[in-house]
Amino acid sequence: AQSVTQLDSQVPVFEEAPVELRCNYSSSVSVYLFWYVQYPNQGLQLLLKYLSGSTLVKGINGFEAEFNKSQTSFHLRKPSVHISDTAEYFCAVRLYTGGFKTIFGAGTRLFVKA
Amino acid sequence: IAGITQAPTSQILAAGRRMTLRCTQDMRHNAMYWYRQDLGLGLRLIHYSNTAGTTGKGEVPDGYSVSRANTDDFPLTLASAVPSQTSVYFCASSRTSDIGELFFGEGSRLTVL
C-alpha cells in the first residue's frame, strides 16, 4: 500500500535558523512529489513539486527539496526561516494505480520563534 | 482573482440534518476533488471528478455524495449529518486528472452537534 510519512508533527525553530522538514513515502509505482503549505485559516497552496529531471527542486519563499529515490524521501529545507514561515506543511505524492490519486502526509507544523 | 470559492465558510449543524457545501472554480479545470482535514490525519479524499459528468469515490466516501453537472461546480452533500463528520472540508481542482498540482479553496468548517 502507498503511504506518506512526515516524521515530525511539530518543528519549533528560531528565526534565521535553518530548517528541514522530513518526508518519506512508500510506493511500488513511480510517484510525483509535492510540498504544500497551509497558513492559518487558509487552504493549501503549492510550495514546490518534483515531476522529473533534476532531483533538487526550488520553490517559492526560498524553500527547496531533494528527491532521493533510493531512500524514498523528499525532505524540505530552508537555509534561514522567517516568522512568516510559521504554517503547516504537507508532503504529498501523486501516483497512478488504475487512476491518478494524491496521498497526503499528516502534516508538520513549523513554528518560527523570534 | 481566479480560483476556487467555497461556501459556507463555517456552519454549525444539528445531527440528522442535510447539508450541501458549495464549490465553484473559474479556472476551467477538468478535475475537482473534495477532501476533509482532521488533526493528525492530514487530508483524506472524499470524492473526486475527473471531468464534468463523471464522479468517483475516494478514501472516505461514506455519508457523502457529489455531482458534477458542469465544469465549474462540484457540490458536496451530507444527506444526514453525524458528529463524526465534524471537520474542515476543502474543495480542490487540477487542470487535468493526471500529474497536475492541486489548487485549493479556503475551506468550510463544519460542526455537527
Side-chain angles (χ1 to χ4, degrees):
Chain A
Q2 301 86 15
S3 65
V4 178
T5 302
Q6 292 185 240
L7 295 156
D8 307 289
S9 59
Q10 295 185 69
V11 174
V13 63
F14 284 104
E15 193 174 20
E16 298 183 8
V19 71
E20 178 180 81
L21 306 184
R22 297 178 294 169
C23 174
N24 286 91
Y25 68 91
S26 172
S27 175
S28 58
V29 299
S30 296
V31 299
Y32 305 99
L33 297 153
F34 302 82
W35 275 98
Y36 290 88
V37 59
Q38 183 181 32
Y39 298 104
N41 299 313
Q42 294 185 25
L44 282 70
Q45 57 185 281
L46 182 70
L47 201 55
L48 50 78
K49 61 186 176 185
Y50 171 78
L51 303 182
S52 65
S54 173
T55 57
L56 181 64
V57 292
K58 295 187 183 298
I60 61 171
N61 300 338
F63 284 92
E64 64 180 32
E66 186 158 19
F67 170 49
N68 187 319
K69 188 173 182 179
S70 62
Q71 298 187 7
T72 61
S73 68
F74 192 53
H75 300 334
L76 181 70
R77 302 185 184 97
K78 185 170 183 178
S80 176
V81 295
H82 302 289
I83 297 287
S84 59
D85 292 323
T86 295
E88 184 117 23
Y89 292 79
F90 292 92
C91 180
V93 301
R94 192 155 174 89
L95 49 86
Y96 183 84
T97 56
F100 276 94
K101 65 177 180 179
T102 300
I103 302 171
F104 286 87
T108 297
R109 180 166 297 278
L110 175 65
F111 179 61
V112 182
K113 301 177 285 185
Chain B
I1 298 176
I4 294 181
T5 302
Q6 290 185 235
T9 303
S10 180
Q11 182 77 44
I12 299 174
L13 189 66
R17 297 298 295 268
R18 181 183 178 90
M19 178 72 193
T20 295
L21 304 181
R22 300 184 298 279
C23 174
T24 300
Q25 55 111 350
D26 60 4
M27 298 176 283
R28 308 301 294 172
H29 284 176
N30 285 322
M32 297 187 75
Y33 314 84
W34 274 105
Y35 288 90
R36 59 177 289 172
Q37 183 181 27
D38 302 288
L39 192 64
L41 297 177
L43 279 80
R44 294 180 292 169
L45 182 65
I46 305 171
H47 285 286
Y48 66 93
S49 169
N50 286 335
T51 189
T54 69
T55 62
K57 293 182 179 180
E59 183 183 353
V60 288
D62 294 341
Y64 306 94
S65 64
V66 292
S67 61
R68 187 90 184 275
N70 57 60
T71 297
D72 299 341
D73 301 300
F74 191 45
L76 176 74
T77 297
L78 290 66
S80 179
V82 295
S84 62
Q85 292 177 311
T86 293
S87 187
V88 181
Y89 292 85
F90 287 98
C91 181
S93 71
S94 60
R95 189 173 58 82
T96 61
S97 59
D98 50 27
I99 64 173
E101 69 188 79
L102 301 178
F103 293 80
F104 286 84
E106 303 231 329
S108 295
R109 182 176 296 274
L110 183 65
T111 302
V112 183
L113 301 176

